[in-house]
Amino acid sequence: MRKLLFLVAVSLSLGLSSLAIQTSASLPIELDETVAEFQTREASFEVIGQASKFGFDSNYSVAIKLMSLSGETVRARGQLSGSKEIAAFVPGEVYSATLRFRPAEVATRQGFDAAIEKGLNRISEATALPLWASGLRMAYLQESGGVSKNAIGLVAGLAIGDTSLIEAELLEQMRVVSLTHLTAVSGANCAIIIGVVYLLVSRLRAGRWARTLLSLAALIGYVAIVGAQPSVLRAAFMSSVVLLAISLGRRATASAALGLAVLILLISDPWLATDYGFALSTFATAGILLLAPEIFNRLKTRVPKWLALGLSVTVAAQLLCLPILLQLQSGLSTYSVLANLLAEPLVAPVTILGILACLVAWAAPWLAFALSWVASLATWWIAWVAEQLASLPMTTIAWASGIFGTLMAVIVVIATILWLRAEPPSLKTAGALTLLVILSFTIGSSGASIVKSASWPATNWLIVACNVGQGDGLVIRSENQVAVVDVGKDPKLIDGCLTRLGIERIDLLVLTHFDQDHVGGLAGALKGREVGLALISPFKDDRWGASVSNLALDSSGAESSFGQVGVRGQMGEFSWQVLSPDHGAAGAEDSNDASIVILWQSPQLNLLTMADLGERGQMRVAASSDAWLGQGLNSVPMVLKVSHHGSADQYGELIEALAPDLALVSVGAENSYGHPTQKTLGLLERIGSKVLRTDESGDLAVSVIGGVLSVSVSGHG
């Protein structure tokens, strides 16, 4: 016991020391003013990570190390965002450019966020290994083939962790049925690499250390290709520990290797403690090691062994991950076990074929194409399984949210361990009874949720925030007239919401700006519906999404007009006026900054729809607030559609002045942006706003009863 306490104390001391040192290095004091004031400065920087795609419209981000600022040496770590030019960055390259700085999200390793303004120039190239890995990766992506784009993308996801070719709709479907882990490199990939190389070298009668060193070299090369993702680091380190222990003639247990890997990685990079990918990878592995053998032993006499093995691994991994998964999604995935049983047998062959295709992409492009095409037959099946199961009713089982729900999940994990592994019969019985009680509670809650959703929404609703994933889709109704503000990215999601609401005509359609998460679902909103007036942003936007949206509006017969300051109208009891952007989107820096912001006023409630307007734009709106703020706004409840899915880019003074009674956050579960941020949630909490989120509660319907706001939720979050 003393040794354990000593180990914990030393580990905590080392971890806290590492955190303090690296935090100071990430954002030195010389950079405070530049970041806090959103300054634009000349800088040079080194690329220290692999570029990853996020959001829509080919947005990329990459970790960088700042080397100089306006000619002066400055060392700091940050995150650089941009378009396709960033996609070609290779770790180790050094660039110079004019960067626009801004504060980073909280609880991240990065000391700042930056975007390229102009003048990007490469100063020096990367070293041999990163160049080789990047070239091989790009060659594979260019030469891969398959039966469909999604099937090709899934092969790349399983083999090298690249999801750029997978459509957002499929990614969402895979999330719903708990197959997201198939698009990330896992421990199985590392095991396959080491196993294959070790076996081949053994056949050549090489010595023990030759087998070890060549296997480790292959693993390092593979990590260089796929990138040092948290789950990859955990798996690679754990595999290396086991391999070295075997080479030294020591007894290597997987659980000890997992513990050592987690301990060293957390000391080296304390921010991994806040990374969901690292946590899920660690706990899934722990579940397989701890519970899968016990579950298999209980099942193998009742079902075929192949089925018992699949069930035991799937259930064990998901069980230990349950408390973490509840932080990323609302409720439990109904079809997750079935989906994994149908998909998992194909993972190993697809991974092997994909890795082989990657390795030969340079030397034999035709072979890479053939291998990936064969692998895509299996991933087509995986995509079909995800699509079919995600389209079934009741894809989510209700589970308590917040701290209580997480605590209940932890109790389930502990009770299951006691039931399966405890020696005293009394502990086994206690674990089984606890599971029975929680199971009964869950079934009862699910039944109540079904009854509730069947009667949703209340007949007197005025506002509905549709659950369209990571995007916006808001419906406003008054005196049988309807306005729709943005339509999300997925046509099926917005069409489904409007259908449930019985919407057959849209009197006013507002497309606040042409980001795909706001206009991509336009076809679904127009499906079988008439549109009266359509407001679009006056910002000059040459992107594909803008062109397609304008063509769709023209084809629908809707009258289109620019939404800009001075435009106003009446819809039922709601009078509305555009607060931003200015005429012709003057002064707007980008499409978000040119978002259409509208104030809706009625005798029952007031509503401010903020689209994706950032802090600078909100400051402009606040500067003109004398004309509208306080003009009877506080006589009825105020509802705020929080800007940009709750990002940190908010002007707190404006939100404090509005003092909304209710804040609606339209946001997708498990999104890669960290939305909504704790900064924005904390601000809303401090001013007493009730916050409701679509990722947690599904569709949100707002009505007014006796002068008081009332909200009903669909429960399909």
Side-chain angles (χ1 to χ4, degrees), residues 210-286:
R211 296 195 298 266
T212 300
L213 294 176
L214 287 173
S215 298
L216 288 176
L219 184 60
I220 292 171
Y222 183 63
V223 172
I225 293 173
V226 303
Q229 307 162 33
S231 59
V232 177
L233 289 176
R234 193 277 311 159
F237 197 97
M238 182 178 169
S239 302
S240 300
V241 169
V242 173
L243 187 61
L244 287 172
I246 293 174
S247 299
L248 291 170
R250 303 290 181 87
R251 183 173 177 267
T253 63
S255 56
L258 174 63
L260 181 61
V262 170
L263 194 62
I264 292 179
L265 288 172
L266 286 178
I267 292 173
S268 303
D269 187 357
W271 286 271
L272 288 175
T274 64
D275 186 275
Y276 284 115
F278 181 78
L280 289 171
S281 172
T282 299
F283 280 91
T285 304

Side-chain angles (χ1 to χ4, degrees), residues 481-536:
Q481 289 188 294
V482 171
V484 174
V485 182
D486 289 326
V487 292
K489 185 177 190 294
D490 189 338
K492 292 181 180 178
L493 294 179
I494 189 65
D495 180 40
C497 183
L498 295 177
T499 299
R500 290 192 296 275
L501 296 174
I503 305 300
E504 297 179 353
R505 174 180 167 80
I506 301 172
D507 298 281
L508 175 62
L509 174 62
V510 183
L511 301 181
T512 60
H513 59 302
F514 290 108
D515 284 2
Q516 281 295 97
D517 58 331
H518 292 255
V519 301
L522 182 57
L526 298 178
K527 185 178 178 181
R529 299 179 183 90
E530 296 181 2
V531 176
L533 174 65
L535 287 184
I536 59 175

Side-chain angles (χ1 to χ4, degrees), residues 143-146 353 357 360 364-377:
E143 301 300 337
S144 59
L353 289 172
V360 303
W366 61 270
L367 183 55
F369 178 89
L371 290 170
S372 62
W373 197 96
V374 173
S376 75
L377 295 173

Side-chain angles (χ1 to χ4, degrees), residues 537-538 563-565 578-583 585-586 588 593-597 620:
S537 172
Q564 51 198 2
V565 171
V578 177
L579 303 182
S580 184
D582 291 331
H583 186 78
D593 201 27
S595 294
I596 300 176
V597 176
R620 292 196 301 269

Side-chain angles (χ1 to χ4, degrees), residues 284-342:
T285 304
I288 293 171
L289 296 175
L290 184 67
L291 297 179
E294 297 293 334
I295 297 174
F296 175 74
N297 289 334
R298 292 170 184 266
L299 291 176
K300 66 182 181 180
T301 58
R302 296 175 175 84
V303 298
K305 287 188 176 181
W306 64 267
L307 181 57
L309 180 61
L311 282 170
S312 61
V313 171
T314 299
V315 172
Q318 295 200 28
L319 180 65
L320 250 70
C321 289
L322 179 59
I324 303 168
L325 289 172
L326 289 173
Q327 313 309 309
L328 302 173
Q329 61 190 43
S330 177
L332 310 178
S333 176
T334 307
Y335 308 111
S336 61
V337 174
L338 176 59
N340 278 275
L341 281 175
L342 294 173

Side-chain angles (χ1 to χ4, degrees), residues 458-469:
T459 56
N460 59 340
W461 66 269
L462 297 172
I463 304 168
V464 169
C466 295
N467 181 21
V468 292

